[in-house]
Amino acid sequence: QKEVEQDPGPLSVPEGAIVSLNCTYSNSAFQYFMWYRQYSRKGPELLMYTYSSGNKEDGRFTAQVDKSSKYISLFIRDSQPSDSATYLCAMSPSGSARQLTFGSGTQLTVLP
Amino acid sequence: DAGVTQSPTHLIKTRGQQVTLRCSPKSGHDTVSWYQQALGQGPQFIFQYYEEEERQRGNFPDRFSGHQFPNYSSELNVNALLLGDSALYLCASSRSGRPNEQFFGPGTRLTVL
């Protein structure tokens, strides 16, 4: 079993829809949670960064962390065709350990 | 403000050869991490360099080695290339005070024939 599980999709939604992307994890030591967006043939771009449980909002993006369920989510409101990309969740433990453990990514297409 | 840069963009090698990939971190960043991303998968951590030393290593064989220079730039070396080493190699940089906020470069796509 992988430490981080992510539904690979693909996921297609109409423009303007609310998108929900999710990851589950098994390592209780994970304390930091990130969402990256990766366009085709590009490097991942950091979208959201959260510590421990709770919500964080940035524009059209909201990240949620539920450590009791080992479940994290990214919501995209008013989705746009330019949001079409692969979304990767990533996480790491606290302390000096700094390696990120990634999910396999969810491919999202927003249709105009 | 230049972001993370990597060179070369693409590389084609044959089995058994050796390859060196290069990375310049984002301005103000002193820590460099390397990741391997196979097609359709998330990036996998190879190792991280800080203060010119390897600080942490993922589950990769000794064929993978690296170096960090005094200006914080870094190299990834892979010896005795295998077909399975074909992947996108990503460099990420961060500040020592915020190690989990890692910013990625565009990657080097390595093809091993």
Side-chain angles (χ1 to χ4, degrees):
Chain A
Q1 184 187 4
K2 292 183 179 180
E3 280 191 290
V4 181
E5 298 280 358
Q6 185 174 8
D7 185 343
L11 179 64
S12 287
V13 300
E15 184 175 354
I18 296 174
V19 176
S20 173
L21 304 166
N22 311 294
C23 289
T24 59
Y25 62 96
S26 57
N27 189 343
S28 299
F30 288 145
Q31 298 286 332
Y32 295 89
F33 304 92
M34 281 68 67
W35 285 95
Y36 285 84
R37 177 174 63 195
Q38 186 173 26
Y39 292 112
S40 181
R41 299 189 174 275
K42 301 289 186 183
E45 172 194 5
L46 180 62
L47 281 178
M48 301 287 285
Y49 168 82
T50 55
Y51 171 69
S52 198
S53 286
N55 292 359
K56 184 174 182 179
E57 187 174 320
D58 184 1
R60 297 185 295 113
F61 299 91
T62 299
Q64 284 187 352
V65 174
D66 182 349
K67 289 187 64 184
S68 63
S69 301
K70 295 189 178 66
Y71 187 88
I72 70 170
S73 300
L74 177 70
F75 297 95
I76 307 174
R77 291 183 299 280
D78 187 25
S79 57
Q80 303 295 311
S82 58
D83 294 328
S84 299
T86 296
Y87 289 80
L88 297 155
C89 64
M91 42 199 83
S92 67
S94 61
S96 60
R98 300 170 181 184
Q99 69 180 72
L100 301 183
T101 301
F102 282 83
S104 57
T106 299
Q107 187 179 343
L108 171 68
T109 300
V110 180
L111 303 169
Chain B
D1 176 24
V4 180
T5 60
Q6 291 186 245
S7 63
T9 305
H10 297 90
L11 207 50
I12 299 175
K13 293 285 189 179
T14 56
R15 280 180 298 173
Q17 285 190 311
Q18 177 266 343
V19 69
T20 298
L21 310 181
R22 295 176 176 83
C23 170
S24 291
K26 187 176 166 66
S27 177
H29 288 187
D30 54 10
T31 303
V32 172
S33 302
W34 286 92
Y35 293 81
Q36 180 195 66
Q37 186 176 26
L39 200 60
Q41 300 297 314
Q44 279 198 297
F45 177 78
I46 302 174
F47 44 52
Q48 184 177 82
Y49 277 85
Y50 171 65
E51 292 186 331
E52 302 180 49
E53 289 187 12
E54 183 182 296
R55 298 291 178 162
Q56 197 172 11
R57 188 178 185 95
N59 189 25
F60 278 81
D62 291 344
R63 298 188 296 111
F64 289 77
S65 64
H67 188 77
Q68 185 179 34
F69 299 93
N71 66 352
Y72 309 120
S73 67
S74 177
E75 288 182 349
L76 164 65
N77 300 292
V78 187
N79 293 322
L81 285 167
L82 304 174
L83 295 180
D85 294 332
S86 295
L88 181 67
Y89 287 85
L90 295 162
C91 169
S93 72
S94 56
R95 298 175 197 259
S96 54
R98 302 178 74 88
N100 297 295
E101 290 186 71
Q102 298 185 16
F103 294 82
F104 284 81
T108 293
R109 185 161 298 280
L110 172 65
T111 302
V112 182
L113 302 176

